[in-house]
């Protein structure tokens, strides 16, 4: 291939001429350091290149090597349990090669080439297959079976299929179509900026259970849905994202640390191999892929990291899995776009962000969804996307927040004042919303309880009422309220402190199954009903407050999943204690 | 052979445009010889065809177009590193200014460093005792953390930083911290305060100081934190030392960055600061940390003054997004003579959970912390309520919380500038304060700890 020549270097942006024949978004290697870059603008013979590595020491006249191929990821066995940088270079291998600091121009394979995988064919010689069909399986980790699929665009008759231990570069299957003969390997490549194809998209119809009470009960996300978490610093975006990555009932989790702290990735790397998945009892790491572009790593690779992440996620979705992708934080991705756009001297839109910010954000989230995958078996997969947004000063009028809110269906609003009060997760119950209720209502009613939806609505009403009453309290003090209103305050406080508040660092409280959530809420609201009755029969609210069940209600969160029966018993205790008060 | 150019075509603010050059590299170090014979240093910001844009660290005063000579040195900005730097004072670019000998380099290193591979990081979890209750007890600092102090003009952040530098130790280990001090645009008086304080306690022997004072060239400030951190990395990861880096004042650094950005006519982000301020700051802050299998560590305390005490100003805002928490100083507390005036409610140490508890501080630390915090927050609310309704309108319980908040500020947060409290003392003061409440109010503490640690009320005499 021919070479271009550098004529300008400005930070992560390099301009080269003699580049005719190259295409937009082709990958190039810059200078003899072979720094990876991507073409983002073409002008006659000239190309502007965003470089994924530090460009210090690069000068005019140095060569640019064309590859003719777009930025792609390798998809195959070996993805799980890996930690990659923004362009899918494994960071553990980089450390082996270059030490504790990341140096430039390292080229390593994303997937291990020497490792042998046990390939079990599920098709046989003579079978006819179409694109997306599963031809074999590899047990990649104890919990995830990697399905080897016919790459998109290929179909025909299997003339040979292997079984046994092979590396990903060995041919495991040959497909004949007319005169064409395709050698199928265990891995395929896919360009990151193009969504992987599927047969049909459908609406989400069941909840992605996250074990977080405020989310599952009040603002749930559907499998295949989208959500965003905007909030100022210190409001707990990252802890919430980590909680979701840990406990969401997805088969595969992709965690993209985009422009955030290095120590946070270390935290995940240390914690995930030790934490157990509540479903399978196996270490969480066995179902996780990490993409880490920390804030001090090159800015252009940050732009690529979210695409790398979502392409890997789509690949697992195509196998028929429910996949969840967490991106923390999409603001850093947008800022990377802004920086490159500024260097290209494009006319800026709001706050210096490029005019195409909204379109890019929308098309990223649109890659989520519940789908029927390619292939003749009509298997169903889902990809849920949850993005954190870090608006400056927590200001929700920030263009990135606004662009995101236009496309996502769930909004978890993190509030600084809740965080100051150490109410975590600091998700505001008054501002947040979820638009998936209608979709998943059926499943919730069937699997949790007919009255679950009503309980939720009632609790929400109490919380809203509390907000109103608080205004009055602030003006005239709590004692002036009527007794029923004082009770409302008491119960709303209980919903907030005993239900919504959840301690991510407590070994039991960190995860609550949806059934546990249901019983907890049911008990609190049952208490409300009974107490209301008591008050109408002249029992003073003070005596109710002093009941020992109050403490039991506040300790519901510490009841382990295996003892959920205790929560049902508590229901009877509430009944007994308050009835006794009434009859006294 | 290095070529020399005499082809400056444009001088604007801190920037020079040189034409007709060849072989110039991005971020290359430049030597500029003024007509007066003085030699300034600069760095290449952009190269295009035969033109190079150079930022001059010492400013462009005295540079002319016909006679100024430009030499491209073929390397980035490097500084000589050696253990002999301990006890020495340098300027903002790492040149000795204490009349001592030049540093004989053990090795040369580029000041930009390279990002630590996240895979190579080791999670910070060793408690650092600063001797300050408000930090040790409530916003615990751990080794390898980056914890900034958000301050305002006229608040005693320097005294606080000096006290931390003086007192910081890792519990149970006698090793003292080496201090790397990077001053950016602070006044002579402020700098002298640190120097004197370090001298007085003898800590200067294990300190390296980089001083760019208010009247030193502003652009030099862009290099100062990087020079300081390159030194810190050398001491920590090659010489196995535990290093505490104090950078003050980051606000001045950001303003220097804005000056360059404005001179380049870049599209500004918020308040005129460049859009890449976040990325730029992170390349400084993220150099703190620990590395697997290495003994040393870098703990960083950057200090910044918030313009108008506004936490949403881009500098504190972006800093807060990168650092692992923040210590916020409050003007109100300062007026109330609470010293240090640390506002514990909005302050936060993100890494505290990993640094406290059994075997690190004491088993009851986390529960005690939560209880103190909740009680103080409620006390503050009671104080607000009292302002509106009058103290008499408070319930008895709220009056108690009201009193607690006062006592807490005066006895727990407040302490002498030379008072070095052990973690035991800090925890015990906390328990003493809580003993004013009836036991049922201590909901966040496990019963066993209450039994064990709550001071027993004295028997009636």
């Amino acid at each position: 291939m021919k070479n271009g020549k550098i004529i300008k270097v400005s930070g992560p942006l390099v301009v080269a001429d003699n580049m005719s024949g190259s295409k937009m978004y082709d990958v190039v290697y810059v200078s003899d350091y072979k720094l990876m870059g991507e073409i983002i603008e073409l002008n006659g013979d000239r190309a502007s290149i965003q470089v994924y590595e530090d460009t210090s020491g690069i000068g005019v006249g140095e060569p640019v090597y064309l590859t003719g191929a777009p930025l792609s990821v390798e998809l195959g066995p070996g993805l799980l349990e890996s930690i990659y940088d923004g362009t899918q270079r494994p960071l553990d291998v980089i450390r082996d090669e270059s030490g504790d600091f990341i140096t430039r121009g390292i080229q390593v394979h994303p997937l291990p080439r020497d490792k042998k995988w046990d390939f079990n064919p599920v098709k046989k010689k003579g079978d006819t297959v179409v694109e997306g069909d599963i031809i074999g399986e590899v047990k990649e980790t104890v919990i995830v079976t990697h399905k080897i699929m016919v790459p998109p665009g290929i179909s025909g008759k299997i003339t040979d299929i292997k079984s046994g231990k092979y590396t990903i570069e060995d041919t495991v299957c040959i497909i004949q179509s007319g005169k064409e003969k395709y050698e199928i390997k265990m891995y395929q490549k896919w360009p990151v900026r193009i969504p992987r194809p599927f047969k049909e998209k459908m609406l989400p119809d069941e909840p992605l259970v996250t074990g977080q009470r405020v989310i599952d009960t009040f603002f749930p996300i559907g499998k295949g849905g989208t959500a965003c978490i905007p909030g100022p610093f210190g409001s707990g975006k990252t802890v919430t994202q980590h909680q979701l990555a840990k406990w969401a009932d997805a088969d595969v989790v992709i965690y993209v640390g985009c422009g955030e702290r290095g120590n946070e990735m270390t935290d995940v790397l240390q914690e995930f191999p030790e934490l157990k998945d509540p479903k399978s009892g196996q270490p969480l790491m066995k179902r996780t892929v990490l993409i880490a572009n920390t804030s001090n790593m090159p800015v252009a690779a940050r732009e690529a990291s979210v695409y790398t992440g979502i392409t890997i996620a789509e690949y697992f979705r195509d196998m028929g899995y429910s996949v969840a992708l967490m991106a923390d934080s999409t603001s850093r991705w947008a800022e990377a776009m802004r920086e490159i756009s500024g260097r290209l001297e494009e006319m800026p839109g709001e706050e210096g962000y490029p005019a195409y910010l909204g379109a890019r954000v929308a098309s990223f989230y649109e890659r989520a969804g519940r789908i029927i995958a390619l292939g003749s078996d009509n298997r169903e997969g889902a990809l849920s996307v949850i993005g954190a947004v870090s608006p400056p000063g927590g200001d929700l009028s920030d263009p990135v927040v606004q662009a995101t809110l236009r496309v996502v269906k769930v909004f978890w609003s993190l509030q600084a004042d809740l965080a100051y009060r150490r109410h975590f997760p600091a998700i505001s119950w008054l501002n947040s919303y979820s638009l998936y209720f209608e979709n998943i209502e059926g499943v919730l009613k069937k699997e949790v309880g007919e009255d679950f939806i009503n309980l939720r609505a009632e609790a929400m009403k109490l919380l809203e009422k509390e907000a109103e009453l608080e205004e009055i309290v602030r003006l005239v003090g709590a004692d002036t309220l009527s007794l029923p209103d004082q009770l409302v305050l008491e119960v709303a406080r209980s919903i907030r402190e005993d239900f919504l508040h959840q301690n991510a660092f407590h070994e039991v409280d960190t995860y609550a199954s949806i059934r546990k959530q249901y019983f907890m809420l049911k008990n609190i609201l049952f208490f409300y009903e009974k107490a209301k009755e008591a008050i109408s029969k002249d029992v003073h609210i003070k005596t109710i407050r002093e009941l020992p069940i109050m403490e039991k209600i506040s300790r519901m969160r510490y009841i382990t999943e295996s003892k959920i029966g205790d929560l049902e018993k508590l229901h009877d205790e509430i009944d007994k204690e308050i009835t006794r008060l009434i009859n006294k | 052979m290095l070529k020399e150019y005499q082809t400056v075509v444009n001088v604007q603010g801190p920037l020079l445009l040189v034409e007709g050059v060849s072989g110039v590299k991005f971020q290359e170090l430049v030597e500029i010889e003024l007509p007066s014979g003085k030699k300034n240093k600069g760095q290449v910001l952009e190269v295009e065809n035969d033109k190079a844009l150079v930022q001059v660290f010492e400013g462009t005063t005295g540079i002319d177009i016909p006679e100024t000579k430009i030499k491209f040195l073929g390397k980035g900005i490097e500084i000589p590193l050696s253990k002999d730097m301990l006890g020495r004072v340098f300027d903002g670019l790492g040149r000795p200014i204490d009349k001592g000998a030049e540093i004989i380099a053990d090795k040369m290193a580029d000041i930009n460093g390279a990002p630590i591979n996240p895979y190579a990081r080791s999670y910070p979890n060793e408690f650092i005792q600063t001797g300050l209750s408000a930090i040790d007890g409530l916003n615990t600092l751990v080794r390898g953390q980056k914890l900034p102090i958000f301050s305002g003009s006229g608040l005693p952040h320097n005294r606080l930083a000096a006290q931390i530098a003086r007192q910081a130790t890792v519990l149970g280990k006698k090793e003292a911290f080496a201090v790397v001090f990077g001053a950016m645009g602070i006044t002579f008086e402020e700098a002298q305060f640190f120097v004197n304080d370090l001298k007085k306690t003898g800590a200067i022997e294990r300190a390296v100081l980089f001083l760019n004072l208010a009247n030193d060239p502003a652009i030099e400030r862009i290099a100062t934190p990087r020079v300081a951190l390159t030194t810190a990395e050398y001491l920590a990861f090659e010489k196995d030392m535990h290093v505490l880096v104090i950078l003050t004042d980051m606000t001045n650094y950001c303003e220097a960055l804005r000056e360059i950005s404005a001179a380049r006519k870049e599209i500004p982000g918020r308040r005129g600061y460049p859009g890449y301020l976040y990325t730029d700051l992170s390349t400084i802050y993220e150099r703190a940390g620990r590395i697997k299998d290495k003994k040393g560590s870098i703990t960083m305390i950057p200090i910044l003054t918030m313009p108008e005490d506004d936490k949403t100003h881009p500098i504190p805002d972006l800093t807060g997004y990168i650092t692992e928490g923040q210590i916020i100083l409050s003007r109100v507390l300062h007026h109330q003579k609470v010293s240090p005036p640390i506002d514990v409610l909005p302050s936060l140490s993100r890494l505290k959970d990993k640094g406290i508890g059994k075997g690190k501080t004491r088993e009851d630390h986390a529960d005690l912390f939560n209880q103190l915090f909740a009680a103080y927050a409620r006390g503050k609310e009671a104080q607000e309520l009292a302002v509106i309704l009058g103290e008499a309108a408070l319930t008895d319980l709220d009056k108690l919380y009201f009193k607690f908040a006062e006592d807490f500020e005066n006895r727990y947060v407040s302490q002498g500038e030379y008072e070095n409290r052990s973690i035991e003392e800090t925890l015990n003061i906390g328990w003493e304060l809580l003993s004013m409440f009836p036991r049922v109010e201590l909901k966040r503490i496990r019963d066993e700890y209450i039994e064990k640690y709550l001071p027993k009320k004295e028997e009636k005499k």
Side-chain angles (χ1 to χ4, degrees):
Chain A
M1 270 227 145
K2 68 175 213 172
N3 300 337
K5 207 174 96 214
I6 297 177
I7 55 169
K8 177 180 173 177
V9 184
S10 168
L13 182 78
V14 165
V15 181
D17 65 6
N18 193 28
M19 295 289 286
S20 58
S22 47
K23 301 184 292 294
M24 275 295 267
Y25 298 113
D26 272 2
V27 167
V28 296
Y29 290 100
V30 173
S31 92
D32 286 321
Y33 289 111
K34 298 270 171 72
L35 309 181
M36 194 183 192
E38 190 180 12
I39 295 176
I40 51 170
E41 193 179 79
L42 286 169
N43 184 5
D45 200 21
R46 270 184 200 186
S48 300
I49 299 155
Q50 62 175 353
V51 183
Y52 294 132
E53 297 179 70
D54 180 26
T55 51
S56 309
I58 305 297
V60 170
E62 292 182 47
V64 171
Y65 301 96
L66 306 183
T67 65
L71 180 64
S72 302
V73 287
E74 284 186 4
L75 303 166
L79 284 170
L80 292 167
E81 296 182 82
S82 297
I83 174 165
Y84 291 115
D85 77 351
T87 52
Q88 215 202 4
R89 297 183 306 172
L91 286 167
D92 48 346
V93 181
I94 291 184
R95 186 182 181 221
D96 292 341
E97 296 220 341
S98 78
D100 296 328
F101 294 89
I102 298 176
T103 44
R104 295 186 294 178
I106 302 169
Q107 287 179 23
V108 283
H109 290 298
L111 297 174
R113 290 297 191 264
D114 48 354
K115 182 158 182 181
K116 289 202 168 170
W117 302 93
D118 205 356
F119 177 77
N120 289 311
V122 296
K123 296 271 189 228
K124 53 185 190 305
K125 196 174 163 180
D127 284 353
T128 307
V129 289
V130 298
E131 55 176 0
D133 272 348
I134 295 169
I135 52 166
E137 290 177 346
V138 170
K139 190 90 183 151
E140 189 177 349
T141 68
V142 276
I143 31 184
V144 180
T145 303
H146 199 110
K147 314 267 170 73
I148 307 297
M149 296 171 286
V150 178
I154 295 176
S155 57
K157 202 173 201 176
I158 296 179
T159 56
D160 187 19
I161 188 159
K162 301 261 176 40
S163 168
K165 289 192 181 282
Y166 294 96
T167 69
I168 53 165
E169 284 193 305
D170 295 329
T171 301
V172 290
C173 174
I174 295 172
I175 294 173
Q176 181 108 32
S177 159
K179 282 200 180 122
E180 286 294 339
K181 218 173 166 189
Y182 300 100
E183 295 187 345
I184 307 294
K185 297 179 168 130
M186 274 191 270
Y187 80 110
Q188 42 182 290
K189 286 192 172 191
W190 191 263
V192 297
R193 293 187 196 275
I194 299 171
R196 283 179 61 88
F198 49 81
K199 244 187 211 163
E200 197 185 318
K201 206 168 202 170
M202 297 171 299
L203 293 175
D205 68 344
E206 59 175 310
L208 180 76
V209 177
T210 64
Q212 308 306 301
R213 291 188 289 265
V214 60
I215 293 177
D216 292 346
T217 301
F218 285 90
F219 310 106
I221 171 172
K223 275 185 182 153
T226 51
C228 79
I229 321 178
F233 67 81
S235 58
K237 281 185 300 297
T238 300
V239 176
T240 310
Q241 287 274 38
H242 281 194
Q243 284 297 94
L244 296 177
K246 281 176 198 167
W247 308 124
D249 67 338
D251 301 314
V252 175
V253 170
I254 316 287
Y255 192 93
V256 185
C258 175
E260 292 286 304
R261 302 176 185 91
N263 278 332
E264 283 169 2
M265 294 316 291
T266 312
D267 191 19
V268 175
L269 274 174
Q270 282 189 351
E271 228 182 352
F272 276 36
E274 277 162 30
L275 287 171
K276 300 271 185 288
D277 173 21
K279 222 170 31 177
S280 64
Q282 293 294 331
L284 289 172
M285 202 62 201
K286 302 275 176 205
R287 58 157 205 196
T288 309
V289 184
L290 300 174
I291 317 276
N293 178 280
T294 58
S295 55
N296 55 340
M297 284 157 80
V299 66
R302 190 167 310 157
E303 207 268 327
S305 65
V306 295
Y307 291 104
T308 300
I310 202 154
T311 311
I312 295 173
E314 283 175 338
Y315 174 67
F316 281 106
R317 171 204 71 186
D318 290 348
M319 293 178 203
Y321 288 123
S322 161
V323 185
L325 175 126
M326 283 88 196
D328 182 16
S329 149
T330 55
S331 288
R332 309 297 165 226
W333 164 49
E335 281 166 13
M337 265 192 262
R338 173 168 74 180
E339 183 168 345
I340 303 289
S341 160
R343 301 216 187 240
L344 283 173
E345 293 171 12
E346 291 172 338
M347 189 65 95
E350 260 179 289
E351 298 259 352
Y353 285 103
Y356 46 80
L357 172 75
R360 291 274 172 93
V361 169
S363 60
F364 168 73
Y365 281 101
E366 199 53 25
R367 286 173 79 167
R370 188 168 75 100
I371 56 111
I372 292 180
L374 294 180
S376 39
D377 60 350
N378 285 335
R379 60 187 181 272
E380 206 182 294
L383 167 55
S384 321
V385 176
I386 297 155
V389 193
S390 321
D395 175 10
L396 294 182
S397 67
D398 167 64
V400 186
V401 177
Q402 287 305 317
T404 308
L405 285 180
R406 279 205 299 274
V407 284
V408 299
K409 295 277 189 309
V410 180
F411 170 48
W412 295 317
S413 168
L414 294 175
Q415 301 271 317
D417 58 332
L418 289 177
Y420 289 164
R421 283 192 263 150
R422 297 303 190 261
H423 176 100
F424 287 113
I427 296 175
S428 158
W429 47 91
L430 297 174
N431 296 350
S432 306
Y433 59 76
S434 164
L435 303 181
Y436 287 116
F437 257 103
E438 278 175 26
N439 308 42
I440 61 175
E441 210 175 50
V443 177
L444 285 178
K445 274 188 178 164
K446 207 171 82 203
E447 287 180 9
V448 190
E450 265 305 314
D451 53 345
F452 187 54
I453 303 295
N454 292 340
L455 287 177
R456 180 218 179 244
E458 200 186 332
M460 202 65 211
K461 222 172 11 191
L462 285 170
L463 289 168
E464 280 162 7
K465 179 94 184 178
E466 181 197 32
E468 270 171 43
L469 290 175
E470 265 179 354
E471 301 267 304
I472 304 175
V473 171
R474 226 166 279 143
L475 290 174
V476 292
D479 292 341
T480 52
L481 290 182
S482 69
L483 286 180
D485 279 351
Q486 287 191 32
L487 181 67
V488 169
L489 284 186
E490 188 63 34
V491 176
R493 185 202 52 77
S494 173
I495 296 175
R496 277 190 289 111
E497 291 180 6
D498 306 332
F499 187 82
L500 294 177
H501 174 258
Q502 194 167 357
N503 186 348
F505 300 101
H506 189 283
E507 69 271 17
V508 178
D509 199 25
T510 184
Y511 173 85
S513 69
I514 191 121
R515 283 193 69 74
K516 181 176 169 186
Q517 301 183 22
Y518 166 68
F519 285 122
M520 284 175 76
L521 194 61
K522 194 167 171 154
N523 282 342
I524 294 175
L525 292 172
F526 180 66
F527 166 80
Y528 175 57
E529 287 308 318
K530 289 300 285 183
K532 208 158 59 175
E533 188 193 331
I535 281 180
S536 72
K537 292 185 178 147
D538 290 334
V539 178
H540 199 273
I541 187 159
K542 265 192 187 148
T543 33
I544 299 178
R545 265 192 211 130
E546 281 158 11
L547 285 176
I549 41 157
M550 293 301 288
E551 195 189 331
K552 285 202 177 152
I553 289 177
S554 73
R555 302 208 141 259
M556 286 191 297
R557 58 172 69 208
Y558 302 123
I559 293 174
T560 53
E561 295 294 333
S562 54
K563 288 189 181 158
I564 282 191
D566 290 3
L567 285 173
E568 286 178 85
K569 273 183 227 150
L570 188 59
H571 188 268
D572 300 337
E573 275 181 62
I574 294 170
D575 193 21
K576 250 185 246 157
E577 282 198 27
I578 300 186
T579 312
R580 209 180 52 230
L581 272 188
I582 296 173
N583 295 337
K584 213 156 47 180
Chain B
M1 191 50 217
L2 296 171
K3 270 193 263 176
E4 210 173 58
Y5 298 96
Q6 225 165 333
T7 48
V8 176
V9 288
N10 181 315
V11 187
Q12 199 178 34
L15 304 180
L16 287 184
L17 188 64
V18 194
E19 251 185 18
V21 297
S22 70
V24 174
K25 312 291 186 199
F26 178 62
Q27 299 232 310
E28 191 174 345
L29 184 63
V30 183
E31 192 179 86
I32 301 131
E33 193 182 330
L34 274 54
S36 64
K38 184 173 175 258
K39 283 180 181 166
N40 282 0
K41 278 192 172 156
Q43 189 179 19
V44 176
L45 283 187
E46 193 176 304
V47 284
E48 183 168 8
N49 295 321
D50 66 340
K51 292 192 206 69
L53 185 70
V54 178
Q55 78 176 10
V56 187
F57 288 117
E58 287 93 340
T60 42
T61 317
I63 290 179
D64 70 349
I65 287 186
E67 279 180 56
T68 299
K69 293 179 192 135
I70 310 287
K71 206 192 269 175
F72 294 92
L73 301 182
K75 55 179 186 189
I77 306 177
E78 293 181 336
I79 56 162
L81 295 169
S82 145
K83 237 184 151 172
D84 299 335
M85 295 171 86
L86 291 166
R88 300 288 305 272
V89 185
F90 303 87
D91 74 356
L93 280 174
R95 294 169 294 210
I97 49 171
D98 55 358
K99 305 194 180 78
E102 288 285 324
I103 295 297
I104 297 163
D106 174 32
K107 72 175 267 193
M108 298 292 287
D110 191 296
I111 64 162
N112 285 315
I116 301 177
N117 187 331
Y119 189 77
R121 278 183 190 268
S122 160
Y123 201 76
N125 57 7
E126 290 165 298
F127 169 69
I128 296 177
Q129 180 175 301
T130 64
L132 287 146
S133 297
I135 296 180
D136 292 352
L138 301 175
N139 295 293
T140 316
L141 180 67
V142 297
R143 211 139 74 172
Q145 186 174 11
K146 38 193 183 294
L147 188 66
I149 298 175
F150 287 6
S151 182
S153 316
L155 293 179
H157 43 265
N158 289 332
R159 289 178 182 278
L160 178 62
Q163 189 171 3
I164 295 173
R166 206 161 51 223
Q167 299 179 348
T169 53
V170 169
L171 210 59
K173 296 181 188 168
K174 289 264 151 54
E175 310 160 68
F177 280 88
V179 177
V180 172
F181 181 74
M184 291 151 286
I186 63 171
T187 61
F188 171 77
E189 281 165 49
E190 286 170 306
Q192 210 54 35
F193 167 78
F194 275 100
V195 175
N196 287 342
D197 197 79
L198 288 168
K199 274 190 184 150
K200 206 159 57 186
T201 54
I204 191 101
E205 293 305 318
R206 49 184 174 88
V208 190
L209 288 88
F210 296 95
L211 303 180
N212 165 283
L213 300 184
N215 59 345
D216 287 334
I219 306 308
E220 192 180 284
R221 274 163 218 166
I222 291 176
T224 307
R226 301 193 159 84
V227 170
L229 282 161
T230 306
T231 311
E233 278 171 1
Y234 170 78
L235 294 174
F237 303 131
E238 292 184 33
K239 296 293 164 206
D240 294 339
M241 300 175 85
H242 293 291
V243 187
L244 183 68
V245 181
I246 297 175
L247 299 174
T248 178
D249 178 329
M250 289 307 290
T251 307
N252 295 334
Y253 168 84
C254 295
E255 280 177 1
L257 207 62
R258 178 166 69 175
E259 191 181 334
I260 296 283
S261 171
R264 295 182 68 182
K265 301 191 172 65
E266 290 172 334
I267 297 158
R270 279 203 307 152
R271 300 229 185 173
Y273 290 95
Y276 49 81
L277 183 62
Y278 176 85
T279 309
D280 190 276
L281 284 175
S282 68
T283 58
I284 294 174
Y285 297 143
E286 277 287 328
R287 287 171 84 171
R290 296 200 316 166
I291 291 181
K292 281 180 200 162
D293 312 323
K294 296 260 164 119
K295 264 185 158 169
S297 65
I298 299 179
T299 309
M300 196 191 298
I301 302 187
I303 299 172
L304 54 91
T305 47
M306 297 181 279
E308 298 168 63
D309 295 353
D310 175 11
K311 204 173 66 147
T312 64
H313 184 281
I315 299 170
D317 190 51
L318 296 178
T319 298
Y321 274 123
I322 306 164
T323 53
E324 283 134 356
Q326 66 276 340
I327 303 286
I328 296 187
L329 300 190
S330 145
R331 204 168 289 278
V332 177
L333 290 179
H334 185 56
H335 288 315
Q336 288 172 10
K337 302 275 185 285
V338 173
S339 154
I342 295 175
D343 192 353
V344 298
L345 292 182
S347 297
L348 170 73
S349 163
R350 290 165 188 268
L351 304 182
K352 65 170 186 301
D353 298 300
K354 313 266 165 152
I356 62 175
K358 203 170 179 178
K360 289 179 174 155
T361 54
R362 208 168 73 183
E363 52 185 0
D364 55 325
H365 193 157
D367 284 11
L368 182 64
F369 155 86
N370 280 325
Q371 187 68 61
L372 283 172
F373 210 96
Y376 181 55
R378 179 144 177 210
K380 277 298 200 193
E381 272 172 34
Q383 285 184 348
E384 273 173 38
L385 214 58
V387 173
I388 307 171
L389 301 170
E391 214 172 310
L394 296 180
T395 62
D396 288 345
L397 194 56
D398 274 343
K399 277 183 195 146
L400 207 54
Y401 276 106
F402 184 101
K403 171 96 179 27
F404 171 83
E406 269 182 3
D407 283 4
F408 178 80
E409 283 168 8
N410 293 328
R411 291 184 48 206
Y412 194 93
V413 178
S414 232
Q415 69 183 83
E417 208 182 325
Y418 288 88
E419 186 182 350
N420 190 353
R421 290 185 191 157
S422 72
I423 182 68
E424 296 276 324
E425 286 174 70
T426 293
L427 293 171
N428 292 341
I429 297 173
W431 278 107
E432 242 170 76
L433 288 169
L434 287 179
S435 68
M436 70 164 66
F437 292 113
R439 256 187 79 157
V440 286
E441 282 301 300
L442 308 181
K443 281 183 203 151
R444 300 189 184 222
I445 309 182
R446 271 164 253 209
D447 286 341
E448 52 197 280
Y449 298 152
I450 297 185
E451 283 302 325
K452 197 164 163 191
Y453 295 106
L454 188 71
K456 302 279 183 294
K457 294 254 165 74
E458 279 171 45
E459 300 290 316
K460 270 184 201 155
K461 280 176 197 151

